[in-house]
Amino acid sequence: MEAQKVDMFMISNAKFFESHQIPIIRDRLISIDDSKWVQISTIQFKDPTLSIVLSVIVGSFGVDRFVIGDTGLGIGKLLTCGGLGIWTIVDWFLIMGATREKNMEMLQRFLF
Amino acid sequence: MGLTRNRLYIFLGLSCLAGYIWLFINSKYSDDEVVVCLFKHVTGVPCPSCGSTRSVLYFFNGEIFSSLYWNPMGLIVAAIMLLVPFWIAFDVILKRDTLFRFYKNAEKIFQKRWVAIPAIMLIIGNWIWNIIKGV
């Protein structure tokens, strides 16, 4: 794909990914076919800011995990009062990274 | 850092272990009640899964009806705690991944709208019941 398009994508979507993944994504996007552009540019990524807000407010019900698609872990959190409160607090620090990883998984389905 | 079979098994195994330790502590010192629920501490209102510990303890004492009364979700927790260690052992010994595949499938089922919405309704119903009971 054209470098200009890719850079535009990177600027508007950089916050959804881990910083170390960004160069890899950029290289990969440049090398793939132009026909995938429509699909890639319309993926709905999960916002890490939203997940940290949810994690702080309703984290002990596992809502943050449900939202990013970790349904199993969400149920685990819900059933155990947020892992006796400990898991809730741990997730305040993990959830943004987990959201970015989920976004990367989503994008990888189109990239590779 | 995707979820792999071994990660899931270690996580579930440790969770079960923590659960049994928690139950042991609670059965030894049942007189002075410890509230760990963040939500209950902050708002003073019980959360949907408050009462699960009592429920699981009653379940292991064979009092199913008390267990259901305190929190029906406790029965699910008790079932998971009973089943998962054996399932993990089975998979590890036979070098299979049946639990991992079951987990992945269950996740997919719970993401379907016609399963998720009734489940959420049940949990909200249970929550209202919890608040009325004053768990």
Side-chain angles (χ1 to χ4, degrees):
Chain A
M1 277 196 302
E2 290 165 42
Q4 205 186 351
K5 256 186 193 174
V6 172
D7 284 337
M8 197 178 78
F9 177 86
M10 293 318 304
I11 289 167
S12 51
N13 292 305
K15 65 170 176 173
F16 297 126
F17 302 101
E18 297 283 8
S19 50
H20 65 88
Q21 292 166 336
I22 287 173
I24 308 163
I25 297 172
R26 189 176 181 280
D27 290 346
R28 187 65 205 161
L29 278 174
I30 286 177
S31 65
I32 65 165
D33 192 58
D34 222 5
S35 61
K36 284 190 175 169
W37 170 245
V38 178
Q39 282 177 313
I40 287 174
S41 59
T42 51
I43 304 174
Q44 296 277 325
F45 293 113
K46 310 276 186 214
D47 195 340
T49 323
L50 174 69
S51 39
I52 185 74
V53 169
L54 285 176
S55 189
V56 171
I57 300 172
V58 278
S60 51
F61 304 163
V63 175
D64 46 349
R65 286 287 172 183
F66 284 119
V67 164
I68 67 168
D70 277 339
T71 315
L73 295 181
I75 293 172
K77 249 175 125 173
L78 178 67
L79 288 177
T80 58
C81 252
L84 303 178
I86 301 164
W87 190 356
T88 311
I89 296 167
V90 171
D91 255 359
W92 292 348
F93 301 95
L94 293 186
I95 198 73
M96 289 181 91
T99 314
R100 294 192 186 107
E101 292 292 339
K102 282 276 162 187
N103 285 332
M104 189 62 192
E105 275 174 37
M106 233 191 290
L107 186 63
Q108 257 167 353
R109 265 175 252 151
F110 295 95
L111 288 184
F112 298 101
Chain B
M1 260 214 5
L3 188 70
T4 57
R5 170 186 176 273
N6 289 350
R7 267 202 200 117
L8 178 72
Y9 287 8
I10 291 170
F11 180 77
L12 282 178
L14 288 177
S15 306
C16 280
L17 185 68
Y20 280 116
I21 293 171
W22 175 247
L23 280 185
F24 179 73
I25 293 169
N26 268 276
S27 60
K28 280 269 171 192
Y29 310 98
S30 53
D31 304 334
D32 32 47
E33 198 181 318
V34 201
V35 179
V36 285
C37 182
L38 278 182
F39 190 81
K40 201 174 176 181
H41 268 300
V42 174
T43 61
V45 175
C47 81
S49 52
C50 279
S52 292
T53 306
R54 274 160 282 176
S55 173
V56 175
L57 282 174
Y58 277 120
F59 177 83
F60 284 127
N61 285 324
E63 296 174 47
I64 305 290
F65 288 106
S66 307
S67 166
L68 266 174
Y69 171 76
W70 279 114
N71 197 331
M73 280 156 84
L75 285 182
I76 305 173
V77 178
I80 293 171
M81 282 175 75
L82 277 178
L83 197 64
V84 161
F86 291 105
W87 203 337
I88 291 177
F90 171 82
D91 268 7
V92 169
I93 292 166
L94 296 178
K95 293 191 169 63
R96 289 172 69 177
D97 62 345
T98 50
L99 177 58
F100 184 58
R101 272 188 280 138
F102 174 81
Y103 177 87
K104 286 279 173 194
N105 287 333
E107 266 196 332
K108 268 186 208 135
I109 291 168
F110 273 103
Q111 280 164 4
K112 290 200 176 101
R113 202 156 290 177
W114 55 270
V115 180
I117 291 174
I120 292 167
M121 290 299 172
L122 277 177
I123 285 162
I124 291 175
N126 189 37
W127 192 5
I128 294 169
W129 191 28
N130 252 356
I131 294 170
I132 295 169
K133 275 184 293 194
V135 170

